[in-house]
Amino acid sequence: MVEAGDTARVLLCAGEPWDDFVAWSVAQGLAGVECLSGIPGCVGATPMQNVGAYGQEVSEVITGVRVWDRRERSQRTLHPRECAFGYRDSVFKREARGRYAVLSVAFALRRDGAPALRYGELQKALGEGAPTLARVRETVLSLRRAKGMVYDPDDPEGRTAGSFFTNPLVTPESAEAVTAAARAKGVLREGEAMPQWPTIDGRVKLAAGWLIERAGVKKGWTVDGAGVSHRHALALVNRGGTTRSLLAMAERVQSRVREAFGVTLEIEPERVG
Ligand SMILES: Cc1cc2nc3c(=O)[nH]c(=O)nc-3n(C[C@H](O)[C@H](O)[C@H](O)COP(=O)(O)OP(=O)(O)OC[C@H]3O[C@@H](n4cnc5c(N)ncnc54)[C@H](O)[C@@H]3O)c2cc1C
């Protein structure tokens, strides 16, 4: 770690466990990754899908990604601009798919910075006042645990890849059409607002979990050993099924949402083989 003014520059090898880094940052009083507490996996994977949660994304603090370029057979450092970060997206998932092995990632964190409090559910759980980074981390972990989103080998609801669908990004007109469809179906009550967030590119992000539940998918719904989590509509859980039954379950959920709202949910986990 190198500090200059209020900025702490931290370089981490790709194989470091992500949450150890978050815990360390919070303990050091360094802000920038506190809302990304409890996400399983290693540092080197975080730029792949621009890991994000509770209103924060790793791209906000990445200053460089050191890679082995398999095509050029050399090492180089990618500037964040070259990583083309987007919502659960980056160049690593697109044009440069399979080209780079991430060796290390450089971050810039803020010494004594305020925690990022942008996400309604987190703000509500924290209540009034100015929470410390440690309190934000604990609150995020407890919200995640309640949804089975912290890896726990003893939790049968934890046999999941995390959120199975990304939040759809749609045009403002489509968002209005979804709201109208929800009202027409009677699943959006008078005076209730559909969760949605404007994005910087002019689109609107919808809440996939909300769409799934309002499309009539019940938590716990299970077919052939693959089911919707009892605690989190966005997560699919392995209850003794196969990959085929998991993907069939995903398709059932997608169909329900498509029929109800005309929105196609994208699958978040990468499928191999
Ligand atoms: C319970 C649970 C909760 C989750 N919650 C979230 C969440 O809140 N937000 C979120 O964004 N994600 C979440 N995820 C998804 C997952 O934790 C992240 O995608 C994480 O970054 C995966 O890390 P990994 O080391 O396991 O990578 P892997 O799953 O092994 O790999 C993911 C991809 O990255 C590539 N990759 C990995 N390391 C490197 C490297 N060094 N160089 C090049 N390519 C590499 C792999 O080839 C693969 O394509 C969750 C998953 C689970 C199981």
Side-chain angles (χ1 to χ4, degrees):
M1 176 172 78
V2 178
E3 292 204 53
D6 290 343
T7 304
R9 300 195 176 276
V10 187
L11 182 70
L12 276 130
C13 291
E16 295 290 340
W18 172 255
D19 197 50
D20 288 2
F21 168 49
V22 177
W24 175 85
S25 305
V26 166
Q28 298 291 316
L30 298 173
V33 287
E34 58 285 348
C35 298
L36 305 178
S37 294
I39 298 180
C42 292
V43 167
T46 58
M48 295 295 133
Q49 66 157 2
N50 182 17
V51 153
Y54 294 93
Q56 205 166 45
E57 288 183 339
V58 73
S59 57
E60 295 168 36
V61 288
I62 288 181
T63 56
V65 180
R66 185 84 181 152
V67 294
W68 167 253
D69 185 339
R70 294 185 174 104
R71 197 174 78 190
E72 303 298 326
R73 303 201 60 73
S74 61
Q75 287 189 29
R76 56 185 288 229
T77 299
L78 300 178
H79 186 273
R81 218 175 21 248
E82 294 175 273
C83 299
F85 290 120
Y87 167 64
R88 297 294 182 281
D89 197 24
S90 73
V91 74
F92 305 106
K93 283 179 72 175
R94 296 184 178 278
E95 302 88 309
R97 196 181 179 87
R99 177 169 170 188
Y100 302 119
V102 174
L103 306 174
S104 61
V105 185
F107 301 90
L109 304 176
R110 294 180 315 281
R111 166 70 58 202
D112 298 325
L117 301 179
R118 306 173 190 141
Y119 198 79
E121 188 188 7
L122 179 59
Q123 288 168 342
K124 199 165 148 212
L126 286 163
E128 297 291 310
T132 59
L133 294 173
R135 189 148 165 257
V136 170
R137 172 170 166 79
E138 279 318 310
T139 305
V140 167
L141 286 174
S142 97
L143 288 171
R144 293 183 68 95
R145 272 190 207 104
K147 297 177 189 168
M149 285 293 109
V150 174
Y151 177 65
D152 174 358
D154 297 329
D155 180 0
E157 288 295 279
R159 292 180 196 141
T160 156
S163 299
F164 208 82
F165 305 100
T166 53
N167 289 323
L169 293 168
V170 300
T171 61
E173 296 73 34
S174 302
E176 275 175 31
V178 173
T179 304
R183 290 220 189 280
K185 286 184 174 307
V187 295
L188 185 61
R189 289 176 292 276
E190 226 18 77
E192 190 191 2
M194 180 178 74
Q196 54 180 296
W197 304 272
T199 62
I200 45 168
D201 63 3
R203 289 185 291 174
V204 177
K205 194 195 279 182
L206 306 181
W210 189 94
L211 294 171
I212 291 169
E213 289 196 70
R214 300 293 166 115
V217 172
K218 295 268 180 290
K219 286 181 185 159
W221 181 32
T222 302
V223 180
D224 291 337
V228 177
S229 165
H230 285 286
R231 292 190 232 139
H232 188 30
L234 258 187
L236 297 187
V237 174
N238 176 6
R239 300 200 170 100
T242 59
T243 303
R244 198 181 296 279
S245 53
L246 182 75
L247 293 176
M249 196 62 203
E251 178 51 40
R252 278 183 203 101
V253 173
Q254 285 171 313
S255 305
R256 291 276 184 100
V257 171
R258 209 180 293 119
E259 280 159 26
F261 303 116
V263 174
T264 299
L265 296 180
E266 301 285 338
I267 291 180
E268 180 176 320
E270 190 179 335
R271 281 152 288 172
V272 285

